[in-house]
Amino acid sequence: MMQLWSEDPHVEPLRVPVFDAHTHLDATAQKAGVAPDAAFVAATMADARAVGVAAAITVGDSVASSRWCVQVAAQHQDVYAAVAVHPTEVDGLTDDDYTALESLARHEKVVAVGESGLDYHWDRTTPEQQQDHFRRHIALAKAVGKPLMIHDRDAHADVLRILREQGAPDRVIFHSFSGDEAMARECVTAGYVLSFSGVVSFKNAPHTREAAAVTPPELMLVETDAPFLTPHPHRGRPNSPRLLPLTIRALAQAAGVDLDALCAAVAENGVRLFGMSALPGSSHQL
Ligand SMILES: [Zn+2]
């Protein structure tokens, strides 16, 4: 079944290594129809490393997937974890769940609390429920002193308002940034970091490229959100960290910056935001 990945399209390697700031290795395995085991993770990261993607943050969306992410990060030097419960999954979340999340969040390979936020596209949970649990995740990020990685879908105004009301953690990242130029300016002014996904390469997403054009590289990250949001021209097939170079090339073009310089900036952002002392498995010492 691993051959699925070797059939993936050719990707021109990056000259300056970067990392995938937001991916779901468990869901990526599931989509490929294989077990999310150590062999899958090692093979996926080896494929990514071969094109200059030297590390990845695998992100939890439930207590169970957060626990999986921490285990994988503990076993693989080039994998880091983020832990949280996704806004569409917060129904029934208990105090005990938060206790479990906090102890996971304190693990040395956990570099963020996320993904947490608001998602008004789906109605599995009410906006009130989502807002209550978003506030609890903000408090958790502050309690453990780690960055907050935000999921914001169709909820820009409420996400920004709750961050203001609650007091944002020192480091805030908008995963798969989906706002327009005006929102990007507001985030940049607040010092928030914008993580761009394959959406920046989509023909029907000019507002995302306009947002990238007003975001300084020191506040940029790049991510796959694999297995979702596969970059152009491969939309429709499963995404994987090895397709990240397609997205960062589209991002560099949208932002009007040199590709190598953007890669170096993104790698440095990994050090500043997540404490990545160097990108493991690469020769690029920061
Ligand atoms: Zn995600």
Side-chain angles (χ1 to χ4, degrees):
M1 292 297 280
M2 281 304 188
Q3 293 89 315
L4 267 179
W5 301 101
S6 56
E7 289 167 15
D8 264 358
H10 173 74
V11 175
E12 189 66 25
L14 297 170
R15 284 185 296 264
V16 178
V18 295
F19 68 100
D20 185 346
H22 184 114
T23 191
H24 300 276
L25 293 176
D26 48 356
T28 300
Q30 194 175 28
K31 192 115 178 181
V34 300
D37 56 15
F40 171 81
V41 172
T44 301
M45 294 309 299
D47 287 349
R49 198 179 311 120
V51 294
V53 180
I57 301 174
T58 189
V59 179
D61 55 16
S62 66
V63 175
S65 88
S66 294
R67 193 168 281 127
W68 183 87
C69 290
V70 174
Q71 280 168 5
V72 165
Q75 291 164 356
H76 301 265
Q77 193 204 3
D78 49 1
V79 178
Y80 297 81
V83 300
V85 177
H86 192 281
T88 60
E89 305 291 327
V90 291
D91 189 36
L93 206 57
T94 65
D95 288 348
D96 284 350
D97 290 329
Y98 275 99
T99 303
L101 274 181
E102 177 164 348
S103 83
L104 289 169
R106 291 190 186 281
H107 189 280
E108 62 176 357
K109 287 296 290 290
V110 172
V111 293
V113 170
E115 56 189 298
S116 170
L118 303 176
D119 189 324
Y120 294 169
H121 180 76
W122 305 105
D123 59 3
R124 296 171 58 178
T125 47
T126 66
E128 292 71 27
Q129 276 181 306
Q130 293 188 19
Q131 291 177 23
D132 175 44
H133 287 283
F134 183 36
R135 290 179 193 277
R136 291 191 70 166
H137 279 80
I138 293 171
L140 174 59
K142 289 181 182 173
V144 299
K146 294 189 179 178
L148 178 69
M149 189 178 275
I150 292 177
H151 174 98
D152 161 26
R153 187 164 186 191
D154 301 342
H156 305 324
D158 279 356
V159 166
L160 292 170
R161 173 179 59 80
I162 290 170
L163 284 171
R164 272 195 308 273
E165 288 174 359
Q166 193 82 6
D170 294 342
R171 294 161 290 172
V172 171
I173 296 114
F174 277 76
H175 126 71
S176 190
F177 183 78
S178 59
D180 61 7
E181 179 186 327
M183 183 179 173
R185 288 187 192 280
E186 193 170 343
C187 288
V188 166
T189 300
Y192 301 156
V193 174
L194 284 63
S195 181
F196 289 92
S197 69
V199 173
V200 76
S201 73
F202 293 177
K203 285 196 170 70
N204 61 351
H207 69 282
T208 305
R209 286 183 286 278
E210 289 159 16
V214 298
T215 306
E218 57 271 23
L219 292 178
M220 270 185 190
L221 289 173
V222 63
E223 63 171 71
T224 58
D225 200 22
F228 315 108
L229 302 178
T230 310
H232 176 80
H234 304 295
R235 286 182 80 174
R237 62 160 75 220
N239 202 357
S240 171
R242 76 179 289 273
L243 298 183
L244 190 74
L246 297 165
T247 294
I248 197 165
R249 285 193 168 94
L251 179 60
Q253 193 167 30
V257 298
D258 173 72
L259 176 65
D260 290 350
L262 179 58
C263 290
V266 163
E268 282 158 22
N269 295 341
V271 177
R272 191 181 77 249
L273 293 164
F274 303 122
M276 294 174 175
S277 57
L279 292 178
S282 86
S283 57
H284 181 67
Q285 295 299 316
L286 295 163

